[in-house]
């Protein structure tokens, strides 16, 4: 009981800090603060909610090794918008916000740190206020950054003031605010997770976002203008535009026969992938070059003519370098561009993930 109230208290304090930080930012930049008074008047109601014993459930902590897709049904249109219900189908853009989906070989992953990116592409309207609640499987452990943050801002938010906090184990809060900015394809933030020492093949640790309205400052992705286009984009983001991710230990999950107490493990050779199986290195030879690009084009040609691809799931992940869910000529072109970059750069070569984010 005490722990629950402590977590609730921390959540309320975090929201209050966010509230006044945003308020100060709005004043400093002469930005409209039409929702501040509404947020402030609901603070007392938030205490009542927590005292009633209601807590935000962690939908990613089922620990059943299953992916947790984003649930757009959690979205609640803000009352302060004071407008008819917005239909996300009216949004004509292609905005996507997505977490990495990572496959690791457990023998080498145990106890190691894995960085997960949350990226954006296809934004059509500017934003200046962002707030997300990130949930994760508590078998993972968050490693704080050098400045003590649980979430680190990415290149896309370089001009934003950002902050993060751990509401409780398994739930993080992240916010960012600035002057109105159209976010080009980039990384919004990263989280470093420590893989459990007892990780076993077949285990999957889901990571993602669930929309939360804590009664003080609801999750948001919008500009200070709050015009119809801004509201429509935010509605689409929180109903259809978010894609959750995971960290997966490759290989078949251990199973126990119903007629014996002996535990047997079935492992297929194609399910095992070493930790250094990098994005873009489709043939897993330790290099990213024209051979990988050619392989991606061959795969694209096959699936375009309704032929069956011979790629494993791990190769598909490696080939989809722009994380758009498709493997096509765009991915092959990006691999070739990165190959040209590493062939002409002698020092401080950055990973392909960062190269794509910084240049495309």
């Amino acid at each position: 009981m005490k722990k629950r109230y402590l977590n609730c208290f921390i959540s309320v304090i975090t929201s209050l800090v966010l509230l006044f930080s945003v308020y100060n930012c709005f004043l400093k930049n002469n930005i409209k603060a039409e929702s501040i008074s509404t947020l402030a008047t609901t603070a007392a109601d938030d205490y009542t909610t927590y005292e009633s014993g209601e807590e935000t459930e962690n939908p990613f902590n089922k620990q059943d090794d299953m992916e947790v897709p984003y649930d757009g049904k959690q979205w609640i249109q803000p009352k302060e918008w004071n407008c008819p219900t917005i239909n996300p189908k009216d949004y004509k853009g292609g905005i996507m916000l997505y977490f990495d989906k990572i496959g690791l070989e457990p023998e080498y992953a145990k106890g190691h740190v894995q960085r997960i990116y949350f990226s954006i592409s296809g934004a059509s309207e500017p934003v200046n206020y962002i707030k997300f609640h990130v949930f994760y499987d508590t078998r993972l452990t968050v490693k704080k950054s050098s400045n003590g943050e649980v979430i680190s801002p990415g290149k896309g938010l370089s001009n934003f003031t950002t902050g993060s906090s751990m509401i409780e184990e398994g739930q993080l809060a992240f916010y960012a605010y600035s002057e109105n900015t159209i976010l080009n394809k980039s990384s919004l933030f990263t989280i470093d997770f420590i893989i459990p020492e007892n990780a076993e093949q077949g285990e999957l640790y889901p990571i993602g976002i669930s929309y939360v309205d804590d009664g003080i400052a609801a999750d948001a992705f919008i500009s200070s203008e709050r015009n119809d286009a801004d509201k429509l984009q935010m509605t689409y983001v929180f109903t259809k535009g978010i894609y959750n991710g995971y960290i997966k230990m490759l290989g078949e999950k251990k199973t126990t026969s119903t007629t014996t107490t002996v535990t047997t493990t079935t492992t297929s050779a194609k399910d095992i992938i070493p930790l250094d199986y990098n994005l873009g290195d489709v043939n897993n030879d330790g290099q990213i070059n024209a051979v990988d690009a050619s392989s991606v084009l061959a795969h694209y040609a096959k699936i375009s003519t309704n032929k069956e691809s011979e790629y494993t799931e791990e190769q598909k992940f490696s080939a989809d370098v722009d994380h758009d869910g498709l493997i096509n000529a765009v991915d092959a072109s990006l691999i070739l561009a990165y190959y040209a970059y590493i062939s002409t750069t002698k020092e401080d070569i950055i990973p392909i993930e960062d190269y794509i984010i910084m240049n495309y």
Side-chain angles (χ1 to χ4, degrees), residues 29-47:
N29 294 289
N30 238 353
I31 301 173
K32 295 179 181 178
E34 58 184 281
S35 63
I36 294 298
S37 60
T38 303
L39 296 176
T41 56
T42 58
D45 294 335
D46 191 67
Y47 282 104

Side-chain angles (χ1 to χ4, degrees), residues 68-137:
V68 180
Y70 178 76
D71 183 5
K73 296 179 180 179
Q74 300 294 326
W75 161 251
I76 302 174
Q77 181 171 308
K79 293 181 180 179
E80 60 267 24
W81 283 5
N82 193 28
C83 66
T85 301
I86 296 174
N87 188 343
K89 292 182 179 180
D90 293 335
Y91 183 70
K92 304 304 180 183
I95 190 170
M96 291 176 56
L97 293 91
Y98 50 94
F99 282 96
D100 286 341
K101 295 183 177 181
I102 303 292
L104 303 174
E105 207 288 307
E107 181 179 353
Y108 299 99
K110 293 179 180 181
H112 288 180
V113 176
Q114 177 62 50
R115 175 164 294 176
I116 295 294
Y117 285 79
F118 184 61
S119 304
I120 185 173
S121 65
S124 58
E125 303 299 325
V127 298
N128 79 296
Y129 175 43
I130 299 170
K131 183 183 179 187
F132 291 121
H133 279 77
V134 178
F135 294 83
Y136 61 92
D137 190 315

Side-chain angles (χ1 to χ4, degrees), residues 250 268-273 277 282 299 309-319 327:
L250 298 172
S268 171
K270 69 177 183 179
D271 291 327
I272 301 300
I273 177 173
Y277 194 102
V282 182
H299 170 87
S309 171
E310 297 179 355
Y311 272 5
T312 64
E313 289 301 313
E314 290 72 40
Q315 286 178 300
K316 291 177 182 178
F317 168 79
S318 180
I327 301 174

